[in-house]
Amino acid sequence: EVQLVESGGGLDQPGGSLRLSCAASGFTFSNSWMHWVRQGPGKGLIWVSRINSDGGITNYADSVKGRFTISRDNAENTLYLQMNSLRAEDTGVYYCVRVNAADAFDFWGQGTMVTVSS
Amino acid sequence: DIQMTQSPSSLSASVGDRVTITCRASQSIRTYLNWYQQKPGKAPKLLIYAASSLQGGVPSRFSGSGSGTDFTLTINSLQPEDFATYYCQQSYTTPPYTFGQGTKLEIK
C-alpha cells in the first residue's frame, strides 16, 4: 500500500524557517518524481515544487523560488521541503504528492499544516 | 502560465442525478487534463487522468471527456459520498502545474 506521511509543519513568524518531511513507503520511491502542493485555508490547490527521481532536477513556483528548496534522500525514502524567509501567504496545508506516468498526482499524503503569523 | 477555469463554482444536486462540471484551459492542453475529488479535511483524490482515463478503484459512474481547451467531468447517478469539491488540473505545460478554482458539489 502506498503511503506518504508528512511532518514538520507548525507555527512560525514571518521571516522564519521550517523543514517539512515526507516519509514514503509501499512503492519504489527512487523511481518516482515527487511534488509539494499547498492549500491555503478555505482555498484551492497551488503547486509548489517538484523533484525528479534522482534529485538532479528541481522546479519551483515563482512565489517560492529562491526561498524554498526541495530535496530527497532515496536511501531513506524521504522527501523534504526547506522553507526559508516565510511569508503569511505561505500559510496552508502542504501535501506531499507522487505522480504517475501520465504526470497526474496519483497519491497524496494527509498533509501538514504550516502557519506563518506574528 | 496556463489558466484553468471551472464552471460552475458551486452546484446543488440530488442523489441519483447526473451532473456535469466543465473545465476550460486558456490554451490547448491536448488531453493533459486531470480531475480530483476532495472531501472536507481530506487530501485530494485522483479520479480521472489524461482527460478520460479512470483511475484504479474509482467507480465507473465517473467519466471524463474533452481535448484541446474544453473538458467535462460527468457523474452519473450521484451517490451520497460524491458530495465534495472537484478540481481540474493541467499537466501539459509544466512547470507550473495549474489547477482550476474548484467546484463545490452540494446536496440539494
Side-chain angles (χ1 to χ4, degrees), chain B residues 18-31:
Chain B
R18 178 183 190 223
V19 299
T20 299
I21 298 169
T22 298
C23 179
R24 175 164 288 175
S26 59
Q27 64 186 73
S28 176
I29 58 170
R30 295 169 62 182
T31 57

Side-chain angles (χ1 to χ4, degrees), chain A residues 9-13 18 86-88 90-92 94 113-117:
Chain A
L11 173 63
D12 205 350
Q13 297 182 14
L18 283 173
L86 285 165
R87 303 170 180 169
D90 297 324
T91 293
Y94 283 74
M113 182 69 199
V114 170
T115 302
V116 183
S117 174

Side-chain angles (χ1 to χ4, degrees), chain B residues 3-24:
Chain B
Q3 307 302 314
M4 306 301 294
T5 304
Q6 289 180 233
S7 61
S9 295
S10 63
L11 175 61
S12 293
S14 302
V15 172
D17 285 353
R18 178 183 190 223
V19 299
T20 299
I21 298 169
T22 298
C23 179
R24 175 164 288 175

Side-chain angles (χ1 to χ4, degrees), chain A residues 38-88:
Chain A
R38 179 180 75 234
Q39 186 167 36
K43 297 190 176 180
L45 301 166
I46 302 293
W47 174 80
V48 174
S49 181
R50 73 174 178 181
I51 188 167
N52 77 328
S53 56
D54 67 9
I57 298 172
T58 59
N59 300 103
Y60 301 92
D62 287 346
S63 60
V64 307
K65 205 171 292 183
R67 300 188 299 120
F68 289 12
T69 302
I70 190 171
S71 62
R72 65 192 298 159
D73 183 338
N74 285 344
E76 296 292 328
N77 288 343
T78 303
L79 177 72
Y80 301 101
L81 186 67
Q82 178 66 45
M83 310 167 66
N84 297 333
S85 302
L86 285 165
R87 303 170 180 169

Side-chain angles (χ1 to χ4, degrees), chain B residues 34-98:
Chain B
N34 310 307
W35 289 98
Y36 302 88
Q37 176 194 66
Q38 186 178 33
K39 297 181 180 179
K42 300 293 187 181
K45 171 187 172 183
L46 177 65
L47 297 176
I48 302 284
Y49 63 94
S52 60
S53 296
L54 194 67
Q55 173 71 350
V58 174
S60 59
R61 63 181 179 274
F62 291 91
S63 64
S65 64
S67 66
T69 61
D70 294 311
F71 302 87
T72 57
L73 172 70
T74 300
I75 312 172
N76 286 303
S77 188
L78 268 175
Q79 298 301 298
E81 60 267 30
D82 300 337
F83 293 94
T85 300
Y86 293 84
Y87 293 93
C88 63
Q89 174 237 339
Q90 67 86 17
S91 55
Y92 178 63
T93 301
T94 61
Y97 296 74
T98 45

